[in-house]
Amino acid sequence: LQTRMQSLQPDPKAQYRSVYEALKKIVLTEGFWRPLRGINVTMLGAGPAHAMYFACYEKMKKSLSDTIQHGGNSHLANGIAGSVATLLHDAVMNPAEVVKQRMQMFNSPYKSVLACIRTVQKTEGFSAFYRSYTTQLTMNVPFQAIHFITYEFMQEQINPHREYNPRSHIVSGAVAGAVAAAATTPLDVCKTLLNTQENMALSSVNISGHLSGMVNAFKTVYQLGGISGYFRGVQARVIYQMPSTAIAWSVYEFFKYFLTKHKLEKRT
């Protein structure tokens, strides 16, 4: 839904006024499973990407907190650790995101994930899978910095003793995801344009070939939609991120608690 709603010059049949209308229209006209198209490639990349992401975050957060605040909770350390972890995460997820978004566009010509990968590789080259990487990082570094700082701040407020408390992890994760998602929507709109290379939108502003680079994407979005163009799909983005970050943190905190407890039991 987010990809469709961020389209800057959508087909008349793919114009939506709200998240609910978009979901209803896509299901009725394109089938029940259409909104989930491309989810398999995202799931394939998500496992290794998140493993590196959380491992890097925990290690860096501890090291930096020891240095900056002598073992206390440092918001600066949380932000830096989250930002560095993003570099590893996005290196894996960027190609998966390109494939997913191309498959989710209205009238997408790709029949399967493999067909999409082969076609993009053949027509645009390997670099097409990383065309939006710098934009992705420019978006995700502030996103993850805001995300981790907000999560740790929320934990300080509702779970100050840092015990395993599923409800506090879900609430903190959801709030952190919502705040970070809303703040970085303009960057996400630019990323979507770079990933999908909408022909109708680019030709209307006399851009031939492929759009590349963050600065060019920002200028093009403004030419096509003005200031409001930067916030297309903000509602869908927040709705998508809240359960996503809530689930990610609750699962992560569960396994962290379970493995730490198991390790302590083995020692004793």
Side-chain angles (χ1 to χ4, degrees):
L1 295 183
Q2 181 184 328
T3 301
R4 292 282 188 94
M5 292 187 78
Q6 285 180 346
S7 176
L8 293 164
Q9 286 208 341
D11 187 285
K13 293 177 184 175
Q15 291 181 347
Y16 317 109
R17 286 172 295 185
S18 67
V19 174
Y20 174 72
E21 186 199 343
L23 183 60
K24 184 180 175 184
K25 202 170 180 180
I26 290 168
V27 169
L28 289 174
T29 59
E30 301 174 52
F32 180 77
W33 297 108
R34 184 68 185 195
L36 297 176
R37 203 158 183 244
I39 196 171
N40 50 348
V41 72
T42 305
M43 289 172 69
L44 194 66
H50 278 77
M52 291 189 293
Y53 174 67
F54 280 114
C56 178
Y57 172 69
E58 280 294 336
K59 180 68 178 171
M60 283 209 67
K61 180 180 80 166
K62 189 177 185 307
S63 301
L64 289 169
S65 290
D66 287 343
T67 305
I68 298 168
Q69 210 158 311
H70 307 293
N73 179 41
S74 164
H75 292 307
L76 178 61
N78 299 335
I80 295 170
S83 300
V84 175
T86 304
L87 298 174
L88 295 174
H89 176 272
D90 287 0
V92 176
M93 287 304 293
N94 204 82
E97 186 78 0
V98 170
V99 174
K100 184 198 79 171
Q101 288 194 317
R102 291 198 181 218
M103 291 188 72
Q104 288 178 343
M105 291 302 285
F106 183 74
N107 275 343
S108 173
Y110 312 109
K111 302 296 180 189
S112 68
V113 167
L114 278 176
C116 181
I117 293 169
R118 284 177 187 146
T119 306
V120 173
Q121 168 71 34
K122 191 176 177 182
T123 57
E124 300 177 46
F126 180 75
S127 62
F129 295 108
Y130 283 94
R131 192 177 284 131
S132 67
Y133 184 55
T134 51
T135 305
Q136 181 91 334
L137 286 177
T138 308
M139 178 189 74
N140 277 355
V141 166
F143 176 92
Q144 297 302 353
I146 295 167
H147 171 207
F148 282 108
I149 289 169
T150 307
Y151 179 81
E152 298 287 358
F153 172 78
M154 287 295 297
Q155 282 291 285
E156 279 184 342
Q157 305 308 308
I158 62 177
N159 186 18
H161 300 295
R162 296 303 176 99
E163 297 166 344
Y164 174 63
N165 183 329
R167 186 180 294 176
S168 83
H169 302 316
I170 289 169
V171 171
S172 298
V175 171
V179 171
T184 57
T185 297
L187 295 162
D188 196 46
V189 172
C190 295
K191 183 203 77 173
T192 297
L193 181 60
L194 286 167
N195 276 351
T196 57
Q197 298 290 316
E198 290 179 69
N199 291 327
M200 283 176 64
L202 297 181
S203 60
S204 70
V205 287
N206 298 319
I207 294 175
S208 57
H210 301 298
L211 182 69
S212 63
M214 176 90 172
V215 175
N216 290 334
F218 254 95
K219 287 178 182 174
T220 307
V221 169
Y222 185 76
Q223 283 178 278
L224 290 162
I227 296 295
S228 62
Y230 292 118
F231 290 93
R232 288 182 73 90
V234 63
Q235 187 186 6
R237 179 164 161 75
V238 169
I239 290 169
Y240 166 78
Q241 285 294 346
M242 283 182 76
S244 174
T245 48
I247 292 165
W249 275 110
S250 58
V251 171
Y252 171 68
E253 293 283 8
F254 167 75
F255 278 103
K256 184 179 170 183
Y257 166 75
F258 175 78
L259 293 170
T260 305
K261 186 183 175 187
H262 183 65
K263 197 174 179 181
L264 287 170
E265 283 174 353
K266 278 184 78 177
R267 281 180 184 173
T268 54

